[in-house]
Amino acid sequence: MANKVLIIYTGGTIGMTNRGNGYVPDQEFFQKELEVMPDLHSEGMPEWDLYQFANLLDSSDMTVEGWNQMGQVIYEHYDDYDGFVILHGTDTMAYSASALSFMLENLNKPVIFTGSQIPLCEIRSDGRDNLITAMLIAASKRVKEVAIYFGHELLRGNRAIKYSADGLIAFVSPNYPILAKAGIAIEYNEAYLAKGSEKKLNYRPFEKLPIAVIKVFPGIQFDIFETMMTSSLKGIVIETFGAGNIPAKGNELLPIIKKAFSSGTIVIVCSQCPQGSVSLGAYGASQKLKEAGAVSGIDITTEAAVAKLYYLFSKGLSRDDIKTLMGLNLRGEMKNSEGVL
Ligand code: ASP
């Protein structure tokens, strides 16, 4: 029996048309475009069905509800398909891929995000190859995790970041090797693929939660953040300099972090450097963060740290458990504390 893939179109450039007011997603156009695309009906392609969001999004408008909708569609149709292709705008694709990697517990099938920088309606669209190759990967039964296929490369979803606003290789995975490269053949990097799970798939919808991201810069006036550090703030991701450093002199962050921590907020430290790890305590400038109760995000991306906070809080865990789990590798999103990828 031919393999079967469900294409989930959430919105994004790949299915946009421009009717005079800039590019916007177009449900009717997209359905027709797929129906008449010869490649999608040729021998060697899996069978496929299309599910479209009723309200197609530019991915800048993606929300927790959108993540839950994707997760629920996959959960409800999990046994009917060999794999899933999620067509999504590139702007927040790395956040959504990270979110789904946590939300779908015990995943054992491919969930491949893709999209394009140039819409399918344009002659030079990169969407055709991205879609066709993503479908072949989704049908292949080789991948058992959430990944992004874009510009000839398959990347772990919760390790990817959007790197280029206009290049056709829009994503990179600075801290984890690529999962596959599509040249003449699709070459899988077996050693780095997730092993999957034999347990039953579980879908954990996310709750809408107050989470913040603070990017540190020279001269930052931390006191303006003080008012937001109330007990209703669940988590803060701090993007620090280098290996986890923050300015120590002048307007100080530490009393504010201490206040946040004592009112129950989980504080995660990430680096502004896309490549490498946070090492809290390596410099005097980061030692104090550790003492104030912050957790090292090691080499996690900000996108994955945000998604992981949503996930752990939505599971209803205690603050201590969330703090511990934020520092541990759950879905291949960070290396473990012994430095193993
Ligand atoms: N703004 C678009 C989106 O993220 C860009 C894209 O699709 O590449 O939906």
Side-chain angles (χ1 to χ4, degrees):
M1 217 174 61
N3 289 346
K4 234 178 146 185
V5 169
L6 181 63
I7 302 172
I8 301 169
Y9 182 47
T10 66
T13 297
I14 191 163
M16 289 188 183
T17 49
N18 187 348
R19 300 192 195 272
N21 279 333
Y23 284 109
V24 287
D26 184 332
Q27 208 173 42
E28 215 178 304
F29 159 81
F30 191 66
Q31 169 120 27
K32 284 204 187 109
E33 188 73 13
L34 295 197
E35 278 162 14
V36 299
M37 218 166 135
D39 307 305
L40 288 191
H41 305 276
S42 58
E43 219 182 296
M45 282 307 282
E47 286 178 16
W48 55 271
D49 292 317
L50 174 65
Y51 174 97
Q52 301 201 62
F53 270 27
N55 184 14
L56 293 173
L57 301 171
D58 182 300
S59 78
S60 346
D61 291 324
M62 186 52 69
T63 57
V64 168
E65 283 102 337
W67 293 342
N68 289 344
Q69 193 178 344
M70 287 179 240
Q72 191 170 349
V73 172
I74 292 172
Y75 182 69
E76 283 171 3
H77 297 279
Y78 194 64
D79 295 333
D80 306 331
Y81 296 93
D82 297 285
F84 301 84
V85 170
I86 303 187
L87 299 175
H88 192 290
T90 55
D91 288 344
T92 63
M93 192 186 290
Y95 286 93
S96 294
S98 298
L100 274 271
S101 77
F102 293 111
M103 182 182 284
L104 297 171
E105 297 172 333
N106 307 323
L107 185 65
N108 207 34
K109 290 186 177 180
V111 174
I112 313 297
F113 277 79
T114 194
S116 70
Q117 294 280 54
I118 307 173
L120 275 177
C121 65
E122 301 285 343
I123 203 95
R124 285 188 56 247
S125 178
D126 51 332
R128 231 159 270 124
D129 173 67
N130 285 347
L131 172 59
I132 289 163
T133 309
M135 286 175 68
L136 293 173
I137 293 170
S140 74
K141 300 187 175 157
R142 304 280 289 271
V143 177
K144 298 172 177 195
E145 60 182 297
V146 178
I148 292 181
Y149 176 76
F150 213 96
H152 307 292
E153 287 184 346
L154 185 72
L155 312 175
R156 174 162 292 167
N158 56 30
R159 290 293 201 150
I161 53 173
K162 184 171 178 183
Y163 153 84
S164 174
D166 49 18
L168 300 186
I169 300 177
F171 291 89
V172 290
S173 170
N175 285 323
Y176 196 76
I178 62 168
L179 302 179
K181 177 103 195 144
I184 289 177
I186 302 173
E187 309 266 3
Y188 289 90
N189 204 350
E190 294 290 347
Y192 293 101
L193 290 171
K195 303 287 172 264
S197 165
E198 292 305 316
K199 293 194 198 139
K200 196 176 166 330
L201 181 79
N202 194 26
Y203 152 66
R204 173 77 56 189
F206 288 4
E207 288 165 25
K208 284 196 226 166
L209 298 165
I211 285 170
V213 177
I214 298 179
K215 182 168 184 160
V216 171
F217 56 88
I220 185 169
Q221 299 193 351
F222 288 116
D223 47 11
I224 61 166
F225 299 106
E226 200 166 350
T227 48
M228 80 189 205
M229 305 295 174
T230 63
S231 55
S232 62
L233 183 65
K234 298 286 184 196
I236 318 173
V237 179
I238 303 186
E239 279 195 9
T240 60
F241 304 130
N245 302 316
I246 52 163
K249 304 215 167 71
N251 191 306
E252 271 205 68
L253 175 63
L254 282 169
I256 299 169
I257 294 292
K258 278 190 189 141
K259 182 178 166 199
F261 189 67
S262 61
S263 56
T265 306
I266 303 284
V267 182
I268 307 303
V269 181
C270 292
S271 177
Q272 290 173 20
C273 302
Q275 213 260 309
S277 291
V278 163
S279 168
L280 284 192
Y283 291 89
S286 70
Q287 175 80 44
K288 296 255 165 40
L289 267 178
K290 199 175 176 180
E291 285 165 21
V295 183
S296 169
I298 312 179
D299 58 351
I300 200 170
T301 61
T302 298
E303 290 85 337
V306 167
K308 194 169 173 180
L309 281 169
Y310 273 110
Y311 170 64
L312 294 175
F313 276 102
S314 301
K315 272 175 91 85
L317 301 172
S318 71
R319 190 177 83 129
D320 284 349
D321 286 349
I322 294 174
K323 191 179 165 197
T324 307
L325 291 171
M326 279 308 293
L328 296 178
N329 174 16
L330 303 184
R331 300 280 196 282
E333 75 283 5
M334 55 174 25
K335 63 184 175 191
N336 65 25
S337 41
E338 285 92 53
V340 180
L341 280 177

